[in-house]
Amino acid sequence: FSLEKKKKMARVLLVCLSVLLVLPSGTAQAPSCGPPGQSRKVVVTEFDMANPKVEIQTSDIAFAAPGQVLVHVRARPLHPADGFAIRGVYPGFQPQTFPAVPGIEGMGVVAQLGKGAKEACPDIAVGMRVVPDWLDPATPNSWQDYVAVNCSSVVKVPAQVSDLSASQLALNPMTVMGMIESLVPVDPADKSDVYILQSAGGSTLGKMLVQLAKHLGYKTISTVRRCEQAEELKKLGADHVICTATDKVQESVFKITEGKGAWGAVDAVAGEMTAELQDSVKANGKVLVYGALAGLAYKGSVISSLFRNVPVEGFWINLWWLSLTPAQRKERMEGVLAFMAAGVLTPHSGRVFNLDDALTAIQDEARVGRSSDGKSFIITSDKCLMQGIKQEL
């Protein structure tokens, strides 16, 4: 190559490298850390639907109080609810004062044991990867470098489970588990008629429902808007997939179930879809609405409500979670992590963003077609753990 051609190639390579550093991908970007002794936090300074007011602030690290552990938060998945939260329209994030830290879930590493924590929680140690009980109102939100939580409210992450997978423990898997428990409170001796019908089957939660239902011995019928999603769902174990662009839901469900109807249904869409699912469920079944992709209202079926006893109920993970005892919550958290370790549940990987780039991450999560790239995550590098932190108080 001539010298000029080599220079040109070098310039192209530098441009490519700069693009790789700027654009998020499935591989972590160069880590960015806060000032020594400080905890960075993403804060909402005021609610604004059109232009969310989000910025990065720092404060002194709030070390572990007696009975607590200090967790260095490493990974946080983004959900549609996070976008609603920073705009002020998510019921789970209604701070009384600003600035306020959002963030629904995540995972991290124990950086410090508070006084008495070693005795109260002998199975928890510094350096251990853990997931706090983010759905407990006493747990701080996750979009910050450090959180101090009760030692009894964290569970250990198995070695087989990655940071990104573990960070997704709270919202989607627990919602799936709770809805299945609600639809099938008692495991029937004959599971051959247990078909769980769902809308938005191609979503992250929809895929997890397919996986967990299959493991439990239940069949699934999933609806999708884009027909190309059917093959991916079937590879995950979906029994039947209905493409709503070409097929009618009720007609297809009764054909699949030989006229019996689905055992129950879960609905992430609302709007017209709710009535379609309600009319596709067997008598004395029910529909659980957990999302509102089509808007904040749904159309129900009077016939199914009155004459077939098929009610429509809401399902919000926060309310269901608080109906459980602390022991039941911990049992379910450990159970989901065991499912992940065994490959029963395979959460998304995806695009990662540094904590300083949280607003870019939020915009990416809302991008049309983003679901095919996996989830978006906000990460904090292990290199950001403050050196010299006292491990026990």
Side-chain angles (χ1 to χ4, degrees):
F1 294 113
S2 66
L3 180 61
E4 186 59 32
K5 194 165 186 178
K6 287 180 178 179
K7 288 180 179 179
K8 185 176 181 180
M9 290 176 65
R11 286 195 296 271
V12 171
L13 180 59
L14 284 172
V15 170
C16 291
L17 286 172
S18 68
V19 168
L20 287 172
L21 288 173
V22 171
L23 293 178
S25 69
T27 305
Q29 305 167 61
S32 62
C33 304
Q38 297 279 297
S39 177
R40 293 172 304 166
K41 53 188 68 178
V42 180
V43 299
V44 178
T45 56
E46 65 176 286
F47 286 144
D48 188 326
M49 275 292 293
N51 184 27
K53 301 298 190 293
V54 176
E55 60 185 56
I56 306 296
Q57 296 182 359
T58 60
S59 62
D60 292 339
I61 297 172
F63 295 109
Q68 290 186 327
V69 293
L70 183 68
V71 176
H72 185 227
V73 186
R74 298 282 176 84
R76 314 151 186 89
L78 272 79
H79 300 285
D82 290 306
F84 297 144
I86 64 172
R87 290 169 171 83
V89 292
Y90 181 59
F93 183 66
Q94 295 295 317
Q96 300 300 308
T97 60
F98 293 98
V101 179
I104 294 173
E105 63 175 333
M107 65 75 61
V109 172
V110 175
Q112 182 184 69
L113 300 176
K115 184 178 180 180
K118 187 174 183 179
E119 292 74 26
C121 304
D123 55 330
I124 302 299
V126 170
M128 182 178 290
R129 296 190 306 144
V130 295
V131 179
D133 180 357
W134 299 105
L135 297 171
D136 185 334
T139 302
N141 289 334
S142 64
W143 288 11
Q144 50 192 321
D145 284 329
Y146 295 91
V147 295
V149 300
N150 292 330
C151 69
S152 60
S153 72
V154 301
V155 293
K156 181 181 177 181
V157 177
Q160 304 93 321
V161 179
S162 71
D163 288 359
L164 295 188
S165 291
S167 73
Q168 300 173 69
L169 169 64
L171 200 60
N172 285 336
M174 291 304 171
T175 298
V176 168
M177 181 176 284
M179 290 193 298
I180 290 178
E181 286 187 17
S182 180
L183 291 178
V184 195
V186 178
D187 204 23
D190 181 6
K191 299 180 182 180
S192 62
D193 290 337
V194 181
Y195 284 87
I196 296 176
L197 173 63
Q198 66 165 334
S199 61
S203 66
T204 299
L205 188 147
K207 293 171 183 175
M208 287 187 179
L209 186 141
V210 164
Q211 292 176 310
L212 185 55
K214 184 178 179 65
H215 177 75
L216 296 173
Y218 307 142
K219 300 183 182 72
T220 54
I221 305 173
S222 304
T223 71
V224 296
R225 287 185 303 167
R226 293 183 287 117
C227 297
E228 61 268 23
Q229 293 176 299
E231 193 58 37
E232 181 184 3
L233 279 174
K234 288 180 179 177
K235 287 179 181 178
L236 286 174
D239 296 283
H240 303 276
V241 182
I242 300 168
C243 177
T244 56
T246 57
D247 297 302
K248 295 181 178 180
V249 175
Q250 184 180 355
E251 180 181 309
S252 300
V253 169
F254 277 94
K255 183 177 179 180
I256 291 166
T257 61
E258 298 179 345
K260 297 174 183 176
W263 186 277
V266 299
D267 183 18
V269 177
E272 300 284 337
M273 176 59 75
T274 307
E276 291 192 60
L277 298 179
Q278 197 179 4
D279 286 337
S280 303
V281 169
K282 70 180 182 66
N284 302 310
K286 64 180 170 182
V287 178
L288 299 176
V289 177
Y290 71 94
L293 295 175
L296 297 180
Y298 65 79
K299 179 181 177 181
S301 168
V302 174
I303 298 296
S304 290
S305 297
L306 285 181
F307 305 117
R308 301 177 57 246
N309 190 33
V310 180
V312 176
E313 300 176 3
F315 185 92
W316 187 33
I317 180 61
N318 297 56
L319 294 179
W320 176 75
W321 193 248
L322 293 179
S323 73
L324 305 176
T325 67
Q328 289 172 326
R329 294 181 209 166
K330 195 160 191 175
E331 179 185 10
R332 282 160 175 78
M333 291 171 71
E334 291 172 341
V336 167
L337 286 169
F339 284 147
M340 289 181 182
V344 173
L345 292 175
T346 53
H348 273 307
S349 57
R351 297 158 67 84
V352 296
F353 300 79
N354 286 311
L355 186 69
D356 291 334
D357 300 319
L359 190 54
T360 303
I362 294 164
Q363 293 165 345
D364 184 74
E365 179 66 17
R367 175 172 49 86
V368 174
R370 186 271 317 152
S371 60
S372 61
D373 299 333
K375 291 198 73 64
S376 302
F377 296 84
I378 296 173
I379 62 166
T380 299
S381 170
D382 57 354
K383 295 180 174 61
C384 296
L385 178 63
M386 190 183 84
Q387 298 300 308
I389 190 170
K390 190 174 182 181
Q391 294 187 352
E392 292 186 33
L393 296 177

